Amino acid sequence: MTITAPPPHVMDEAGHVEVKGIDFIDPDERHGRPRELFTLWFTSNLSYLYILFGGLLILFGLTLVQAIAVVLIGNLLYFLVGAIATTGPTFGTSTVNISQLMYGSAGNRFFGAGLTWVLIVCFEAINLSIGALAGFALLADAGIHVTTFLKVIVLLIVAIGTFTLSILGHATIVRATSIFAAVMGVAAVVLFGFILDHAKFGYHPSSPLHGGASLATVFLGLTLIASGPLTWVNVPAEYARYLPQDASRWAVLGWTALGGYLSSAFLGIAGVLAGTVVNMADPQTSMKAIMSGWFYPIFLVLIVVGTSFNNAMGIYTSGLALQAIGVKARRSRTVLLDCIVGGGLTFYAIFVSNFLTTLNNFLVLSEVWLAPYAGVFMAYIVMHWNKDKSTPSRDQFIRLSAVGKVVGPGVVAILAGGVAAFLCADTTYWHGPISVALDGADLSPYVGFTLAAGVYVAMERLMARTKAPASVPAMMPDPA
């Protein structure tokens, strides 16, 4: 049995092949080394959002030691992101296309590409909101009265810069992050120095938590911090797919995870320490009190640049997701749809709602899908680690082109994990019955991930025993 050539296709100048909505990088166009992934993930996660996360842990009522431990443990999920990134060199395509193997071409339009696009657009709004708020603070620091008109102008400038970077594509994003990595890293260290100089290392919350309430709050904090790496589980393969197929999987995993972990954990701890001395409900303004006047504008610019890089990576993936759903348009054009929808959500977040409440609720509920999605993906990786590595990348491409419309184990697993996670979630508007029974502890990402992975493995093995493989379609025989 031999493998036929893929269906007729058109390859562009960057080596992209598109067939049945699958954007595939031709093997001859692969280049680079896994260590290049470090600066990409390190710079893109030098985001103010992680400072905010750290500060929120103090607002939750955790002690200093508890909050720092939560930051260090929760961000370990970046190694999960690194593991998913290893599928990029193997298949030569994006995460939302690879997940067709778990859900089928039709199932993936909803459970993979569809929900990926929805969540990425929501995160675009979050990052645009943060960048715009920093821009407002920058104008106020310069003595300019920030009217509603000026707020709209600032929002437009931040949005245009972000969307332009994403339209320019992978090569530009990689090059830009490598240039800014050192500059932003130094600025982050300087910021940390100012925070250390003022932090109260003997800090204790004014109303200490005890017993079940303390444990529930720790889990709530872990869920918040875990939302950072979990927001990336549906995108990492696209940034590793340009590497040769024989690139070391452990190197891809390690450099991706290390880049994301170091920057997010570092800034998370900075946020925790800052929360011991300033009000982290409005950190763009309150943190001015603990840094020199010359550095405050740099700090605000750092927020804008960091969130722009973070957003550009997500927007790049959202275009690929729309193509995987079936939208017949170039990725650069799909960004315009993101701009319209994301801009509207940003306007709501800034001018209508309470930003912190909306942010916390969205992050918790997003994990109801993201954690089970990651669980199914990781189960697939573990089960097919050696098999996928030994298959030529062009044959992997044919597998994706030939996958069935619905793959039962993946669909059942993500539904089971999602329902369980929803019952464990705890937000302002929804208190899951399992969370209520546990005094408000939010176990949604852990339960969702574990159950989805377990159901997927069990069903795959059952299907294999009945000789009806569910997620590995038969190779296409040579008609000759």
Side-chain angles (χ1 to χ4, degrees):
M1 182 177 291
T2 59
I3 305 301
T4 64
H9 59 265
V10 177
M11 182 186 299
D12 65 18
E13 65 279 1
H16 295 251
V17 178
E18 287 192 23
V19 57
K20 292 188 178 181
I22 300 173
D23 186 24
F24 173 77
I25 306 301
D26 190 84
D28 294 336
E29 301 296 328
R30 308 283 193 89
H31 56 80
R33 298 181 179 180
R35 66 168 176 259
E36 296 171 0
L37 295 170
F38 175 82
T39 53
L40 175 71
W41 287 96
F42 178 80
T43 307
S44 297
N45 283 285
L46 281 173
S47 171
Y48 166 78
L49 191 61
Y50 299 112
I51 297 177
L52 183 60
F53 283 179
L56 286 175
L57 296 180
I58 295 298
L59 291 178
F60 287 171
L62 295 180
T63 67
L64 185 62
V65 173
Q66 286 175 329
I68 291 176
V70 164
V71 168
L72 294 175
I73 295 171
N75 280 306
L76 287 174
L77 287 185
Y78 272 104
F79 287 88
L80 176 63
V81 178
I84 295 175
T86 63
T87 59
T90 299
F91 288 91
T93 189
S94 61
T95 314
V96 291
N97 279 320
I98 297 168
S99 59
Q100 286 191 30
L101 292 171
M102 289 134 249
Y103 308 111
S105 57
N108 189 58
R109 290 193 183 105
F110 180 78
F111 294 106
L115 288 175
T116 289
W117 183 78
V118 171
L119 285 181
I120 286 177
V121 170
C122 291
F123 277 109
E124 288 170 18
I126 289 172
N127 278 322
L128 284 176
S129 299
I130 291 173
L133 290 172
F136 303 161
L138 191 61
L139 290 179
D141 185 61
I144 300 173
H145 177 60
V146 185
T147 62
T148 301
F149 175 75
L150 280 179
K151 288 182 177 181
V152 173
I153 296 300
V154 169
L155 178 58
L156 286 175
I157 292 173
V158 174
I160 290 172
T162 300
F163 287 111
T164 299
L165 181 61
S166 65
I167 288 174
L168 293 175
H170 173 271
T172 302
I173 294 173
V174 172
R175 191 176 302 114
T177 53
S178 64
I179 293 173
F180 280 90
V183 175
M184 295 180 66
V186 169
V189 170
V190 173
L191 170 64
F192 196 80
F194 285 122
I195 293 173
L196 280 179
D197 191 45
H198 292 81
K200 297 179 180 178
F201 290 96
Y203 169 84
H204 291 285
S206 56
S207 301
L209 301 170
H210 301 285
S214 179
L215 184 61
T217 306
V218 167
F219 275 107
L220 179 63
L222 282 170
T223 298
L224 174 68
I225 298 301
S227 68
L230 279 177
T231 59
W232 292 112
V233 296
N234 51 351
V235 308
E238 31 272 54
Y239 298 99
R241 65 186 174 141
Y242 289 87
L243 297 174
Q245 189 186 17
D246 61 359
S248 167
R249 285 181 170 181
W250 291 110
V252 171
L253 188 160
W255 287 117
T256 298
L258 191 63
Y261 183 86
L262 287 180
S263 51
S264 57
F266 180 80
L267 292 181
I269 293 174
V272 169
L273 294 176
T276 65
V277 289
V278 301
N279 179 14
M280 294 300 285
D282 182 25
Q284 289 101 334
T285 302
S286 62
M287 286 184 68
K288 182 179 181 180
I290 59 175
M291 60 184 73
S292 297
W294 64 268
F295 185 75
Y296 183 60
I298 296 176
F299 166 68
L300 296 175
V301 171
L302 179 66
I303 293 175
V304 176
V305 174
T307 53
S308 294
F309 277 124
N310 190 287
N311 235 1
M313 288 182 65
I315 295 170
Y316 178 82
T317 295
S318 72
L320 298 175
L322 284 176
Q323 290 176 337
I325 293 170
V327 176
K328 304 298 182 182
R330 289 184 175 275
R331 185 187 55 79
S332 57
R333 294 180 180 177
T334 62
V335 169
L336 295 177
L337 179 59
D338 285 10
C339 185
I340 295 171
V341 178
L345 292 173
T346 304
F347 183 87
Y348 171 81
I350 292 178
F351 298 103
V352 179
S353 72
N354 179 290
F355 177 70
L356 285 181
T357 300
T358 301
L359 171 66
N360 189 49
N361 288 334
F362 170 71
L363 290 174
V364 172
L365 290 178
S366 69
E367 293 174 348
V368 169
W369 169 70
L370 286 169
Y373 179 88
V376 172
F377 215 118
M378 276 304 301
Y380 174 88
I381 290 174
V382 171
M383 296 178 71
H384 297 273
W385 181 272
N386 293 324
K387 184 187 302 182
D388 285 344
K389 185 65 175 177
S390 63
T391 308
S393 59
R394 187 167 290 278
D395 294 353
Q396 298 281 26
F397 174 58
I398 295 173
R399 290 175 63 198
L400 286 170
S401 300
V403 73
K405 290 187 176 298
V406 176
V407 174
V411 172
V412 172
I414 197 169
L415 284 173
V419 170
F422 186 67
L423 295 176
C424 293
D426 184 74
T427 72
T428 304
Y429 305 110
W430 167 253
H431 305 285
I434 296 177
S435 176
V436 172
L438 297 175
D439 295 324
D442 189 329
L443 304 179
S444 55
Y446 321 107
V447 172
F449 177 92
T450 304
L451 182 61
V455 169
Y456 183 78
V457 170
M459 291 191 66
E460 278 281 346
R461 289 180 174 174
L462 179 62
M463 296 289 282
R465 288 176 184 174
T466 58
K467 298 182 179 180
S471 66
V472 184
M475 293 301 183
M476 299 159 58
D478 189 337

